[in-house]
């Protein structure tokens, strides 16, 4: 393990004014997204879509890294340049999703365990050769009647820590992503309680597995009301609860925190990040690692038509720019109508 290299990469991933583009949807997830624009999910359509995103003029000013899916890591631009090489040449760190998905957790109805540890060392060695500098593993915790159980939280935290240790062994920075879903009708208080438990358990396991906190990035959910809650918390409440929760459970040595968007609208996700950055000084840089909140508008604008490519790229860069401003707390909602 090369501590200096891990720290250097982790810091570059969370530098101010930039964030991480999560474009690591599995084939089944991107197929669902394409269904929304009535586009068949062929390998070429998936390649063309990812190429549209990665080559957007100006995007590199606001992207520190891109999380890729296995298929995309092996694909090329129209000019025949492998995507990881293209990104690296543009000063963007290529990353790779390495878990194989959240599967039903036997004996724990309604809960999942994330799989993918078998053969992971060998896959990481291969991914590093192909250019990956960081990796991602997502654990999923749902809130509902009687769930999450502490055992499911522990099992997922244990797997996250084993993954993180294998990454650091191969000089790959682990993004540690324990996602508490915002799908239910729960209150922000319930989300905070569960997120506190999850983060505390995850950091206990990371410490036990001898993880170098300086060489990792945490990708958490924000502390937020469930999407179906009748009384949704305000953006200020989300920012305050999220920062409070993170300060209580995330060691200052962690290189940085890059949030997932988790089903928030693009504008909500940007506003929350900006408000959190205004609550500083904070022990770590706070940035974005959004999937849907960065891609949604670009995807619908593109709709699989090459004629819409430039317009879609503009939408992506507009969103990136606003999130870049949110990393320093300089975003304001009035910019939504201004930013070109
Ligand atoms: P969302 O921002 O759409 O939640 O995706 C981020 C991600 O990488 C989920 O694993």
């Amino acid at each position: 393990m090369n501590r200096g290299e891990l720290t250097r990469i982790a810091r570059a991933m969370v530098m101010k004014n930039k964030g991480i583009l999560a474009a690591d949807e599995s084939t089944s997830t991107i197929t669902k997204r394409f269904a929304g624009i009535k586009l068949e999910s062929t390998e070429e359509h998936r390649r063309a879509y990812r190429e549209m995103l990665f080559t957007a003029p100006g995007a590199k000013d606001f992207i520190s890294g891109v999380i890729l899916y296995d298929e995309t890591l092996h694909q090329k631009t129209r000019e025949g340049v492998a995507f990881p090489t293209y990104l690296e040449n543009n000063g963007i760190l290529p990353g790779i999703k390495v878990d194989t998905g959240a599967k039903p957790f036997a004996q724990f109805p309604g809960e999942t365990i994330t799989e993918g540890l078998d053969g992971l060392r060998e896959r990481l060695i291969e991914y590093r050769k192909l250019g990956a500098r960081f990796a991602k593993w997502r654990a999923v915790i749902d809130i509902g009647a009687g769930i999450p159980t502490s055992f499911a939280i522990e099992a997922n935290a244990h797997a996250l820590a084993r993954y993180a240790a294998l990454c650091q062994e191969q000089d790959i920075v682990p993004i540690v992503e324990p996602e508490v879903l915002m799908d239910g009708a729960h209150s922000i208080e319930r989300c905070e309680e569960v997120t506190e438990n999850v983060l505390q358990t995850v950091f206990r396991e990371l410490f036990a597995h001898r993880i170098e906190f300086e060489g990792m990035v945490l990708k958490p959910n924000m502390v937020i009301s469930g999407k179906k809650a009748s009384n949704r918390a305000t953006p200020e409440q989300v920012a305050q609860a999220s920062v409070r929760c993170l300060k209580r459970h995330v060691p200052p040595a962690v290189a940085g925190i890059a949030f997932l968007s988790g089903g928030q609208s693009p504008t909500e996700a940007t506003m929350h990040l900006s408000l959190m950055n205004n609550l500083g000084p904070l022990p770590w840089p706070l940035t974005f690692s959004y999937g849907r909140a960065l891609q949604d508008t670009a995807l619908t604008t593109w709709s699989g038509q090459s004629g819409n490519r430039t317009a879609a790229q503009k939408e992506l860069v507009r969103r990136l720019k606003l999130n870049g401003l949110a990393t320093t707390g300089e975003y304001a909602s009035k910019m939504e109508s201004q930013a070109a």
Side-chain angles (χ1 to χ4, degrees):
M1 182 175 77
N2 181 336
R3 287 200 172 83
E5 167 89 345
L6 285 170
T7 306
R8 189 185 63 74
I9 296 167
R11 285 193 186 148
M13 287 163 68
V14 294
M15 68 167 68
K16 283 287 165 211
N17 304 309
K18 293 189 181 186
I20 298 167
L21 169 64
D24 60 324
E25 298 84 2
S26 64
T27 302
S28 72
T29 301
I30 199 74
T31 300
K32 277 185 229 149
R33 303 267 195 273
F34 281 3
I37 55 164
K38 302 201 165 46
L39 182 69
E40 195 191 341
S41 179
T42 62
E43 186 183 340
E44 173 50 23
H45 285 159
R46 294 191 293 270
R47 192 206 64 77
Y49 175 62
R50 265 67 180 248
E51 177 172 75
M52 181 278 288
L53 296 176
F54 305 160
T55 61
K60 65 179 179 185
D61 295 341
F62 309 105
I63 301 181
S64 58
V66 175
I67 319 176
L68 305 164
Y69 182 61
D70 182 89
E71 176 185 87
T72 324
L73 193 80
H74 292 88
Q75 286 175 326
K76 296 178 174 154
T77 65
R78 274 179 301 189
E79 289 73 34
V81 182
F83 281 139
T85 310
Y86 178 87
L87 294 170
E88 195 95 50
N89 289 346
N90 282 279
I92 299 171
L93 293 161
I96 177 78
K97 167 199 177 76
V98 299
D99 66 71
T100 55
K103 305 287 163 62
F105 193 21
Q107 310 289 20
F108 287 80
E111 298 192 278
T112 59
I113 181 77
T114 299
E115 295 187 348
L117 288 171
D118 289 352
L120 181 56
R121 175 180 281 122
E122 291 70 28
R123 286 198 289 133
L124 288 169
I125 291 169
E126 192 57 32
Y127 284 143
R128 195 163 205 290
K129 279 192 207 140
L130 290 167
R133 295 289 167 261
F134 67 92
K136 178 191 116 171
W137 179 290
R138 173 172 175 258
V140 182
I141 306 293
D142 203 358
I143 297 180
I147 61 167
T149 62
S150 51
F151 192 79
I153 294 174
E154 278 163 27
N156 275 291
H158 185 83
L160 268 171
R162 282 190 58 195
Y163 139 82
L166 284 163
C167 286
Q168 291 196 334
E169 181 193 77
Q170 300 305 328
D171 296 330
I172 289 178
V173 170
I175 292 185
V176 173
E177 181 180 5
E179 175 174 7
V180 177
L181 296 178
M182 61 177 291
D183 292 344
H186 53 269
S187 65
I188 187 170
E189 289 80 13
R190 177 79 177 123
C191 178
E192 183 165 4
E193 179 187 35
V194 173
T195 306
E196 287 211 48
N197 272 319
V198 167
L199 290 177
Q200 188 64 30
T201 310
V202 165
F203 278 96
R204 190 187 69 214
E205 288 293 326
L206 291 171
F207 178 74
H209 284 76
R210 304 181 175 175
I211 300 308
E212 286 278 319
F213 292 152
E214 294 82 353
M216 66 161 274
V217 171
L218 178 71
K219 176 162 173 168
N221 54 286
M222 294 178 199
V223 174
I224 192 167
S225 341
K227 263 188 261 182
K228 298 183 200 130
S230 44
N231 242 337
R232 298 206 60 207
T234 63
E236 289 74 19
Q237 287 168 329
V238 171
Q240 275 160 9
S242 301
V243 166
R244 176 170 63 224
C245 183
L246 292 164
K247 276 187 175 169
R248 285 181 178 163
H249 303 283
V250 182
V254 168
I257 296 176
F259 291 94
L260 59 92
S261 60
Q264 298 177 49
S265 73
T267 50
E268 272 177 324
T270 310
M271 175 57 84
H272 289 150
L273 179 63
S274 197
L275 289 172
M276 285 189 277
N277 274 307
N278 274 320
L279 295 175
L282 301 168
W284 351 252
L286 295 188
T287 187
F288 56 94
S289 174
Y290 299 156
R292 286 162 285 177
L294 283 174
Q295 294 183 46
D296 277 1
T297 327
L299 176 66
T300 44
T301 304
W302 179 65
S303 284
Q305 306 291 320
S306 53
N308 296 334
R309 193 180 144 99
T310 307
Q313 290 180 322
K314 281 199 179 132
E315 286 299 331
L316 173 70
V317 175
R318 190 175 91 86
R319 211 60 250 152
L320 283 166
K321 190 172 174 183
L322 294 170
N323 281 297
L325 288 167
T327 67
T328 52
E330 287 165 283
Y331 164 83
S333 50
K334 63 173 192 286
M335 294 172 181
E336 289 293 340
S337 49
Q338 296 165 357

